[in-house]
Amino acid sequence: MKLRKIIFILSLILANNYSTAQSINDTIIRNVMLIQEKDIVKNIDDYLIDVIIDFDTQKPSIVFNNSKLPTQFFSNQLFKNKPYILIKPDDEYYNALSNGTDTELNDCDLPLNINIYHQRTYFKNKPKIDSIKRFDNHQPKLIFNSSIDKLKTKDNIVLYYTFGFGSTCCPRDPNWDIKEKLDEFISGFENFNNVKIGDVYKKITGKEGEHKLYFTLSNLNKKQKLKFLQKIRYWTYIDRHIEDIKFEPQIFTPSFVKKEGLKLITEK
């Protein structure tokens, strides 16, 4: 009897989660992340998308794609194996409008606001595109979330790279054996680019030297941030010629943490 009750309660919780999940059929879609052309930097096959993106696998990430990135980029790379809602202006319509080939408009008509909505959901771990809809002016109301600048408050830090060190003994974390290489890498990057990388924060996570470092890269522009993130992938390798290694194409995005419990440091 107790087992049935537990199953019933779990079913209610799951049903509530599904009922509150956002859908392209909603009249209001909240927490929309705006990605614009200015937010994107590419170098070789790697990207930096300078937007804090929610990758919660229990609910869809919602993005308004106001950039040149194709829908396939989001479905096959950024949100691979994750649910999402992608909203994108109807480029075909707007291109026809700019070229004067759209026959749906009369001379006195105003251009329509037309967006295409894609939604991917998962059922028993199998991806399924629920639907693709093309909305004209009568479309859901979009409520955008806070930008990175709004998150840069006295309570939060926006970060691009994190690295942790475990115990100095019992057993000793191997990361301590290569910490000097991290310092060398950062000094070399700063000297080569004639720039300081910006604020670094430290969080104590144990009593035997355990801590995490949070890199804000606050003094770097977007191109420099991407170069830093690409190069720092190599520093943990012993071989100094290890840059011959080829990494899989990667998409970098920032995140944020509460500043409480963090200490601003000058050493890397």
Side-chain angles (χ1 to χ4, degrees):
M1 190 70 178
K2 289 183 178 180
L3 180 59
R4 289 184 178 180
K5 187 175 181 180
I6 292 172
I7 293 174
F8 177 72
I9 293 172
L10 289 175
S11 299
L12 287 178
I13 293 172
L14 288 172
N16 181 65
N17 287 340
Y18 283 119
S19 65
T20 56
Q22 292 276 260
S23 164
I24 61 177
N25 296 312
D26 293 342
T27 56
I28 300 176
I29 299 180
R30 304 177 185 276
N31 200 34
V32 181
M33 296 167 280
L34 176 63
I35 295 180
Q36 305 182 78
E37 195 65 25
K38 67 180 181 67
D39 299 319
I40 302 165
V41 178
K42 180 183 180 183
N43 184 41
I44 310 175
D45 292 322
D46 296 320
Y47 288 84
L48 169 64
I49 300 179
D50 205 14
V51 174
I52 295 175
I53 298 176
D54 184 2
F55 289 105
D56 188 342
T57 57
Q58 300 303 312
K59 58 184 180 181
S61 300
I62 306 172
V63 169
F64 189 99
N65 176 25
N66 194 27
S67 74
K68 296 177 182 177
L69 292 175
T71 299
Q72 291 77 10
F73 175 89
F74 293 88
S75 59
N76 298 335
Q77 293 176 255
L78 185 62
F79 294 124
K80 186 177 182 180
N81 302 324
K82 298 181 180 70
Y84 68 85
I85 293 175
L86 180 67
I87 308 161
K88 184 171 177 58
D90 186 346
D91 293 333
E92 185 176 337
Y93 166 77
Y94 288 110
N95 289 337
L97 192 66
S98 63
N99 294 330
T101 57
D102 189 280
T103 58
E104 296 181 6
L105 294 179
N106 297 318
D107 291 339
C108 297
D109 289 335
L110 292 174
L112 298 175
N113 180 18
I114 297 181
N115 294 324
I116 298 177
Y117 289 64
H118 300 250
Q119 181 167 11
R120 167 176 284 178
T121 57
Y122 279 79
F123 181 72
K124 293 183 179 179
N125 297 323
K126 293 182 179 180
K128 174 187 176 184
I129 297 292
D130 271 356
S131 54
I132 299 175
K133 286 194 172 183
R134 184 177 185 265
F135 286 94
D136 58 16
N137 285 337
H138 304 290
Q139 58 184 296
K141 178 182 179 181
L142 304 181
I143 299 178
F144 292 87
N145 68 358
S146 300
S147 66
I148 284 183
D149 290 336
K150 290 182 180 179
L151 286 169
K152 290 179 180 177
T153 68
K154 64 180 180 180
D155 299 321
N156 304 315
I157 65 166
V158 176
L159 58 110
Y160 292 81
Y161 183 75
T162 304
F163 194 82
F165 292 89
S167 174
T168 55
C169 68
C170 315
R172 177 182 170 86
D173 183 355
N175 285 344
W176 286 103
D177 299 330
I178 55 174
K179 182 181 183 299
E180 185 178 340
K181 283 192 63 184
L182 175 61
D183 299 335
E184 289 177 359
F185 164 76
I186 293 173
S187 297
F189 185 91
E190 290 179 330
N191 292 335
F192 182 82
N193 294 281
N194 193 28
V195 67
K196 292 293 184 181
I197 64 170
D199 295 338
V200 179
Y201 288 83
K202 180 178 181 179
K203 181 178 182 179
I204 303 298
T205 56
K207 297 181 179 180
E208 297 178 345
E210 299 96 333
H211 69 276
K212 286 185 177 181
L213 298 178
Y214 298 96
F215 295 80
T216 68
L217 307 185
S218 52
N219 288 343
L220 306 184
N221 60 38
K222 291 182 179 65
K223 289 184 178 180
Q224 290 170 332
K225 287 175 181 175
L226 179 54
K227 286 285 184 66
F228 179 93
L229 295 169
Q230 288 177 306
K231 295 291 185 182
I232 202 169
R233 294 180 291 189
Y234 299 99
W235 77 271
T236 55
Y237 293 93
I238 302 300
D239 188 345
R240 292 184 180 273
H241 302 288
I242 205 67
E243 289 199 24
D244 292 335
I245 287 181
K246 301 299 181 183
F247 288 93
E248 289 294 321
Q250 190 168 352
I251 303 169
F252 300 96
T253 61
S255 58
F256 76 98
V257 295
K258 294 293 184 182
K259 193 178 291 186
E260 183 179 1
L262 305 183
K263 180 182 179 182
L264 179 65
I265 62 174
T266 54
E267 71 273 18
K268 313 301 187 294

